[in-house]
Amino acid sequence: MYVQELEPVAGSLGLSALVAALPLVVVLVLLGGIRMKAHRAGLIGLLAAALVAWQVYGMPVGQTLSSATQGAAFGLFPILWIVVNALWVYRMTVRTRHFDILRRSFGRLSDDPRIQALVVAFCFGALLEALAGFGAPVAICSVMLVALGFDPVRAAVVALVANTAPVAFGAMGIPVVTLAQVTGLPLDSVASVVGRQTPLLALVVPLVLVGLVDGRRGLRETWVPALVCGVAFAAAQFAASNYVSAQLADIGASLAGAAALVAVPHARRPAAEPVRAAVLTGVRSEDLDEKDPRPEVVGAYAPYALIVAVFSIAQIPAVKDWPAQATRVFDWPFLDVVNPDGDPVGGNVFTLPLVSTGGTLVLIAGLCTAVVLGVHARVAVKEWAATVHELRLAILTVTSVLALAYVMNLSGQAATIGHFVAAAGAGLAFLSPVLGGFGVAVSGSDTSANALFGALQVSAARESGLSPDLLAAANSSGGVLGKMISPQNLTIACAAVGLAGREGDLLRKVLPWSAGLLLIMCLIVVGQSSPVLEWMLP
């Protein structure tokens, strides 16, 4: 049995916290200062965490390795299991050219570039975030906007800023699932609080987007469809995350936002030529004028409809109970950890939802997609293998970061830092989203930031008397606003639109929006931690 200790360094909480933070400092310096590749920084950070756990906290080598292995296993399943299968579906649509048909379909919804930004970057980008995440929405939406005639810089900025409100529930809810896993909090309670924070961003982001596309004129002329889109998105995200399923929150929100936008008569009106001339300064793709047969258009939308259908069916109680029976819960081998009070920690047990996890449901939808789009079995398997190969470095990054997080959590390093940070008292509510935003800005992933700082936030909340659910959720909600300034996302955006080497230009354009929206989120969390907005919490 390994008993966690809070003050292993000279009996001092401050010195212990300083040493416990070394693995995080190593990762942040390697990523942000030296600009090392994320997978290498993650592996070195893991080594640092293991050494601190072993040499400073006295965690046996076997249990240290076992905790790291459990973190890596959780990174592979269910996190990367979802990402791989979701991107596999996307690759099949590209292979069959149905993705091009989908892009042309979006272009025909409206010729107003401000509305196109909402349809492509905000609504469709949110759907891509719901299905895959990990940079895919920024890359795909940037390319689509450039094909519609947007200037590459403007297209990249719009895609980056739009990729905020859906991030906390991206990749079938993986960020909040990870947050619940590393903190030991119930998934429903964490998701419900996040679902009462990020929808408030959804009210603002569409207005920001039309302003980015066309300045004050864009706001003056298209604020109605932008606001309607934002309200519908926010309402659906709130309802799904609180009363249906965290995995369906972004799917429902993206579809509701798109439906509301299309329903507004103003959104379908042709744009004035001065607007198009001022905004569409890029080269419009020539294939946008092609007429696609209706069956092909239906086929282009089919993969996303199938995913929605599979997940919706999986939520029916009679159906939901069947895959739940395949879930396996077992004691993780070579791991026996108790907290300083002598109570066993949740990490001793591992849950393996073989069928009910989002990745398996996406796989089922992907198999249906292959049949509907006429993809031969051999080609489908080849595309799945190519997806794994394409994500190989991302797989190494996620598994190493999750392994690092598990070592820090199970050895007691996160608890030590949490007790030390709790000294901030009431100011913790303001700093909590900042910590999440910083984590995502460095790691490029809300999932990784939740894994790194989730347990720390909960420990600090309990010591300071604040709600653990609130600060855990604030880590994820604040984290989404670090996404647009993450070096990884900036690089993805530049590469997608042919602006390699101009990450600094994009950073200067999106940084004010990241900081401004993060300040709003900090004020929301402060309000929710006080009687002012406490009524918003479940």
Side-chain angles (χ1 to χ4, degrees):
M1 180 183 293
Y2 167 69
V3 181
Q4 294 177 340
E5 188 177 352
L6 294 178
E7 302 174 352
V9 182
S12 168
L13 183 62
L15 290 175
S16 300
L18 192 63
V19 174
L22 279 177
L24 297 178
V25 172
V26 167
V27 173
L28 299 181
V29 169
L30 292 178
L31 283 174
I34 301 178
R35 302 202 173 200
M36 181 180 287
K37 296 292 185 181
H39 65 282
R40 293 176 182 168
L43 290 172
I44 295 174
L46 170 59
L47 177 61
L51 288 174
V52 171
W54 175 37
Q55 293 291 334
V56 179
Y57 280 77
M59 190 178 200
V61 175
Q63 297 214 47
T64 302
L65 294 175
S66 181
S67 59
T69 303
Q70 183 182 168
F74 181 70
L76 290 171
F77 192 96
I79 295 179
L80 290 164
W81 181 235
I82 290 178
V83 177
V84 168
N85 289 323
L87 287 180
W88 171 56
V89 174
Y90 163 70
R91 285 182 66 99
M92 286 194 291
T93 66
V94 173
R95 175 86 180 217
T96 59
R97 300 191 180 279
H98 282 87
F99 182 75
D100 292 331
I101 297 172
L102 186 68
R103 173 171 53 82
R104 289 193 288 269
S105 176
F106 286 161
R108 286 191 289 269
L109 287 175
S110 173
D111 71 345
D112 189 326
R114 299 163 300 190
I115 303 301
Q116 290 175 344
L118 294 177
V119 172
V120 174
F122 188 68
C123 296
F124 185 59
L127 183 60
L128 291 173
E129 182 67 37
L131 302 179
F134 292 89
V138 170
I140 295 168
C141 292
S142 297
V143 171
M144 292 182 76
L145 290 174
V146 169
L148 291 170
F150 278 66
D151 171 73
V153 173
R154 181 174 288 162
V157 170
V158 167
L160 285 166
V161 175
N163 191 222
T164 49
V167 168
F169 295 104
M172 297 300 176
I174 276 299
V176 291
V177 170
T178 302
L179 187 61
Q181 180 77 12
V182 300
T183 59
L185 299 173
L187 173 59
D188 291 343
S189 65
V190 173
S192 66
V193 178
V194 176
R196 295 162 193 249
Q197 294 171 343
T198 56
L200 299 176
L201 290 177
L203 299 175
V204 180
V205 172
L207 296 170
V208 172
L209 293 179
V210 296
L212 285 171
V213 172
D214 195 28
R216 293 182 179 178
R217 178 177 58 186
L219 276 172
R220 186 175 62 252
E221 295 181 0
T222 55
W223 69 269
V224 172
L227 187 60
V228 168
C229 178
V231 169
F233 186 103
Q237 191 181 61
F238 162 75
S241 60
N242 277 267
Y243 306 112
V244 183
S245 167
Q247 286 87 347
L248 292 175
D250 278 349
I251 292 179
S254 60
L255 296 178
L261 184 61
V262 173
V264 178
H266 182 67
R268 304 301 298 271
R269 294 174 190 165
E273 192 54 39
V275 173
R276 291 178 53 78
V279 176
L280 300 181
T281 54
V283 179
R284 186 172 179 270
S285 178
E286 295 180 358
D287 71 343
L288 286 176
D289 297 323
E290 290 185 18
K291 297 297 182 181
D292 298 303
R294 184 174 294 274
E296 292 297 313
V297 175
V298 172
Y301 284 91
Y304 308 101
L306 285 168
I307 291 175
V308 173
V310 169
F311 271 82
S312 299
I313 292 171
Q315 299 306 312
I316 299 174
V319 178
K320 195 173 185 178
D321 292 340
W322 173 71
Q325 295 174 2
T327 299
R328 296 289 178 264
V329 180
F330 56 90
D331 293 331
W332 190 259
F334 310 112
L335 200 61
D336 185 10
V337 180
V338 297
N339 62 25
D341 296 327
D343 301 320
V345 300
N348 293 324
V349 178
F350 191 76
T351 302
L352 194 64
L354 295 171
V355 180
S356 59
T357 188
T360 302
L361 297 178
V362 174
L363 176 64
I364 294 171
L367 294 173
C368 296
T369 296
V371 174
V372 171
L373 299 186
V375 179
H376 192 278
R378 184 181 66 258
V379 175
V381 172
K382 183 179 179 181
E383 288 296 330
W384 194 90
T387 303
V388 174
H389 182 265
E390 179 184 341
L391 291 173
R392 62 192 183 282
L393 295 182
I395 291 172
L396 187 55
T397 300
V398 172
T399 52
S400 61
V401 168
L402 264 296
L404 180 156
Y406 269 61
V407 170
M408 290 190 66
N409 294 344
L410 289 170
S411 66
Q413 295 173 59
T416 297
I417 300 172
H419 279 70
F420 180 75
V421 172
L428 204 65
F430 185 88
L431 295 175
S432 184
V434 176
L435 185 60
F438 179 66
V440 175
V442 172
S443 69
S445 164
D446 200 36
T447 300
S448 297
N450 286 343
L452 290 173
F453 299 131
L456 185 157
Q457 298 266 23
V458 169
S459 295
R462 286 173 175 153
E463 287 301 305
S464 61
L466 294 173
S467 165
D469 288 336
L470 175 62
L471 292 201
N475 191 84
S476 192
S477 298
V480 307
L481 299 168
K483 189 91 169 179
M484 68 178 85
I485 61 173
S486 161
Q488 289 92 319
N489 256 23
L490 290 170
T491 301
I492 289 171
C494 284
V497 297
L499 295 174
R502 294 186 59 184
E503 289 85 356
D505 294 341
L506 290 187
L507 178 61
R508 285 189 290 273
K509 289 181 179 295
V510 299
L511 183 57
W513 295 109
S514 175
L517 292 172
L518 180 58
L519 176 60
I520 292 174
M521 182 56 66
C522 290
L523 295 176
I524 290 171
V525 175
V526 169
Q528 291 178 334
S529 69
S530 69
V532 177
L533 295 179
E534 190 177 22
W535 54 270
M536 292 181 63
L537 299 179

